[in-house]
Amino acid sequence: MQAEILVVGGGLGGVAAALGALRAGRRVVLTEEYDWLGGQLTSQAVPPDEHSWVEQFGVTASYRALREGIRDYYRANYPLIPAARAWRELNPGGGHVSRLCHEPRVAVAVIEAMLAPYRSSGRLTVLQPYRPVAADTDGDRVTAVTVEQVRTGDRLTIEAAYTLDATETGELLPLTGTEYVTGFESQHETGEPSAPDTAQPMNMQAVSVCFAIDHVDGDNTIDKPAQYDFWRAYQPDFWGDRLLSFRSPNPRTLAISERSFTPNPDDDPLSVVADQRVNPGDGNLWTFRRIAARKLFTPGAYESDICLVNWPMIDYFESPVIDVPDADTHIANAKQLSLSVLYWLQTEAGFPGLRLRGDVTGGTDGLAMAPYIRESRRIRAEYTVVEQDLSLAVRGDKGAVEYPDAVGVGMYRIDLHPSTGGDNYIDVGSCPFEIPLGALIPRRMDNLLPAGKNIGTTHITNGSYRLHPVEWNVGEVAGALAAYCLNNGQTPRGVRNSPEHLSGFQAQLIRDGVELRWPDVSGY
């Protein structure tokens, strides 16, 4: 198959990359390993994690269209009560993690609608479920990528002028021989205050296999998971209790704290104001990532709230799942941990009415279709974003570093979950930051671009750059950059290093609704 631009990976970055390239008039082939497009928003079942100003500024126009499309879908198709329907900033789940908590399937529908006109015109071809298995290169260029149909094993080789790696783990980097880094860089290399003395390439953030539950009458206890006894006894040194408990470290202070769990509380979801500046929102685990608040819908529409479980106790940090020979085994172990958490809640914590809602997450085993991968392989980039570029403790009232080649903005605390190297949380205040174009350009390869969490960040700054709106912004810019290069006979490196082309590309991004600078706001 031939493509002008090939996007491998249909997560948030991949979808945005396709839209960015298509908007600029190019033809795109988009491949995705799972049955749903949308990655962490859908197949991984992670409600949006966003900054405090998301309703006003700080995201791209197309990301805002995605968010508003989700709200419009609820208004058009769900039995909302009048007050919820009239709520401009409708939060269907009334969750505290985000101002927009919703069911994954709704985001799938909206993403499909955003792509539909391009599919219809023939300019977009989507291949699902396909994963990359090989690549061909010629010097510093990728000439083709071979993808495999997940169910049948059939293979297809796709040649493209530009290839974008939007996979969750940077799968194309080793396949193409692109230089990359994993895990913790050393302080000697990066100068980061939170980095270790020596590099730890296998020290990566935990992965999680999320799931959805509700709480209804009756006994819905699942079969005892095969690894339950192991996980029931599992107690990390720094946890303060067994992993299967409501006690765990506070990410920001590391003090051991106990969270509550109250299914279907008598709260008012219309009064929820999700703002992580004020409160991380995880005090009651039920409302933390609630994705359907029954009181926002007509009486009887929902038997129960629906709660998305992405809690500290499902973090799997026994081993990385990148660059190890037994990655599938560790993903299976992470699933066993998640099922063990549910079984523990139903049996020992005293909630047999909890019901696994695999119909909500789409997974055949009752869990999310895909594991939530927080940390990817990352390119060796022309510019690497380091902690001192955006740390609130380092930058203070100066704000984050302003980059002359800025191609977007983002904001999230430097939020690292416990890691495979035995580290506790690392949670550092951040300034609202910019995304430098140099972080999207490999040091050597000419026509391969990262389009997700695989850009030039470090283990530490990935903690800020890995969230939904930033991944979307990165992907959208990568797609737009590939199209700009084809339209102007340029290379990505040439665009960055030419004042004329850099300003021209930035002007195009602004016209397309990509914000390059922040107004005067303070970090948290």
Side-chain angles (χ1 to χ4, degrees):
M1 181 179 286
Q2 302 286 330
E4 291 180 331
I5 297 171
L6 168 63
V7 181
V8 180
L12 284 176
V15 169
L19 287 169
L22 291 161
R23 188 172 58 213
R26 289 296 168 172
R27 293 181 174 271
V28 174
V29 173
L30 172 65
T31 74
E32 165 55 26
E33 180 175 353
Y34 294 95
D35 290 335
W36 286 353
L37 297 174
Q40 59 177 319
L41 192 64
T42 61
S43 60
Q44 297 172 34
V46 182
D49 272 309
E50 300 167 331
H51 57 71
S52 295
W53 306 280
V54 66
E55 302 295 348
Q56 290 80 41
F57 47 78
V59 297
T60 75
S62 63
Y63 184 80
R64 191 171 303 285
L66 169 65
R67 297 178 84 255
E68 292 308 311
I70 289 169
R71 287 176 169 145
D72 289 345
Y73 191 95
Y74 273 94
R75 293 188 180 105
N77 297 289
Y78 279 69
L80 296 166
I81 61 173
R85 191 176 303 281
W87 187 9
R88 188 182 73 81
E89 296 179 2
L90 172 63
N91 186 348
H96 289 258
V97 71
S98 167
R99 284 177 163 87
L100 180 61
C101 294
H102 56 85
E103 295 180 47
R105 198 182 300 274
V106 175
V108 177
V110 176
I111 285 169
E112 291 288 354
M114 295 175 79
L115 295 174
Y118 300 108
R119 289 207 205 209
S120 180
S121 70
R123 291 202 294 116
L124 171 65
T125 300
V126 181
L127 302 175
Q128 289 175 274
Y130 279 84
R131 61 177 167 231
V133 292
D136 298 323
T137 59
D138 182 5
D140 298 336
R141 295 184 61 82
V142 178
T143 56
V145 174
T146 298
V147 293
E148 181 179 84
Q149 218 280 358
V150 170
R151 297 189 181 98
T152 67
D154 293 342
R155 292 192 171 191
L156 178 64
T157 297
I158 308 164
E159 298 177 349
Y162 276 87
T163 296
L164 277 55
D165 184 348
T167 62
E168 299 298 324
T169 55
E171 286 296 304
L172 293 188
L173 303 184
L175 292 179
T176 59
T178 300
E179 293 77 9
Y180 68 90
V181 63
T182 62
F184 233 142
E185 297 88 345
S186 71
Q187 191 174 84
H188 173 75
E189 178 183 355
T190 67
E192 294 174 302
S194 302
D197 290 336
T198 57
Q200 301 170 4
M202 300 310 289
N203 187 359
M204 306 179 206
Q205 283 197 71
V207 302
S208 299
V209 178
C210 303
F211 57 94
I213 51 175
D214 61 8
H215 189 266
V216 295
D217 292 337
D219 186 348
N220 299 296
T221 304
I222 62 172
D223 293 338
K224 182 180 177 180
Q227 294 182 14
Y228 180 71
D229 291 337
F230 172 83
W231 289 114
R232 183 185 180 279
Y234 188 82
Q235 182 167 341
D237 293 338
F238 56 83
W239 205 254
D241 205 332
R242 294 179 304 171
L243 187 65
L244 271 57
S245 72
F246 292 125
R247 288 171 56 80
S248 62
N250 180 301
R252 299 186 185 184
T253 68
L254 302 185
I256 305 304
S257 58
E258 185 157 355
R259 294 169 172 84
S260 65
F261 180 67
T262 308
N264 294 319
D266 189 25
D267 67 328
D268 177 12
L270 286 165
S271 68
V272 171
V273 179
D275 188 344
Q276 294 191 22
R277 271 183 307 179
V278 180
N279 186 340
D282 58 350
N284 181 0
L285 292 172
W286 183 270
T287 55
F288 179 36
R289 294 181 184 271
R290 183 172 55 184
I291 56 174
R294 69 195 187 285
K295 290 186 176 182
L296 294 179
F297 303 89
T298 55
Y302 282 79
E303 293 181 85
S304 162
D305 295 345
I306 301 176
C307 169
L308 203 290
V309 178
N310 180 13
W311 305 338
M313 62 183 77
I314 71 165
D315 282 1
Y316 179 84
F317 38 82
E318 278 285 279
S319 168
V321 297
I322 293 173
D323 289 349
V324 293
D326 52 353
D328 290 344
T329 297
H330 290 293
I331 295 296
N333 292 345
K335 290 183 177 183
Q336 278 288 304
L337 170 57
S338 293
L339 291 170
S340 296
V341 167
L342 175 60
Y343 187 77
W344 176 82
L345 287 168
Q346 292 171 321
T347 56
E348 299 194 44
F351 298 98
L354 291 177
R355 181 172 58 175
L356 187 61
R357 293 295 303 272
D359 57 316
V360 170
T361 56
T364 56
D365 53 7
L367 306 173
M369 262 183 211
Y372 176 31
I373 308 290
R374 294 180 173 88
E375 184 173 340
S376 174
R377 299 175 180 92
R378 304 179 299 280
I379 63 166
R380 291 283 187 185
E382 286 206 340
Y383 183 87
T384 299
V385 179
V386 293
E387 181 181 3
Q388 52 271 36
D389 283 4
L390 63 150
S391 164
L392 191 58
V394 175
R395 298 293 301 174
D397 58 9
K398 297 188 295 294
V401 170
E402 291 190 3
Y403 305 114
D405 61 343
V407 290
V409 297
M411 171 60 202
Y412 205 75
R413 288 176 64 88
I414 297 173
D415 173 14
L416 303 180
H417 283 235
S419 69
T420 58
D423 292 323
N424 204 336
Y425 290 96
I426 299 175
D427 196 301
V428 178
S430 173
C431 302
F433 55 84
E434 299 171 0
I435 303 169
L437 180 59
L440 276 70
I441 301 176
R443 293 180 183 174
R444 180 178 62 85
M445 299 299 284
D446 289 330
N447 70 335
L448 176 73
L449 293 171
K453 295 187 286 285
N454 51 353
I455 64 170
T457 57
T458 64
H459 172 79
I460 293 172
T461 56
N462 164 73
S464 289
Y465 276 71
R466 66 182 172 84
L467 283 307
H468 303 66
V470 181
E471 181 184 347
W472 182 279
N473 191 325
V474 167
E476 184 172 354
V477 168
L481 178 60
Y484 183 93
C485 290
L486 289 174
N487 293 342
N488 292 276
Q490 271 295 324
T491 65
R493 214 177 321 278
V495 172
R496 181 177 185 242
N497 295 324
S498 162
E500 176 186 356
H501 281 290
L502 177 59
S503 63
F505 180 57
Q506 289 174 318
Q508 175 186 307
L509 293 177
I510 292 171
R511 287 193 298 271
D512 289 338
V514 178
E515 298 177 17
L516 307 187
R517 309 289 180 196
W518 280 96
D520 186 15
V521 291
S522 299
Y524 54 89

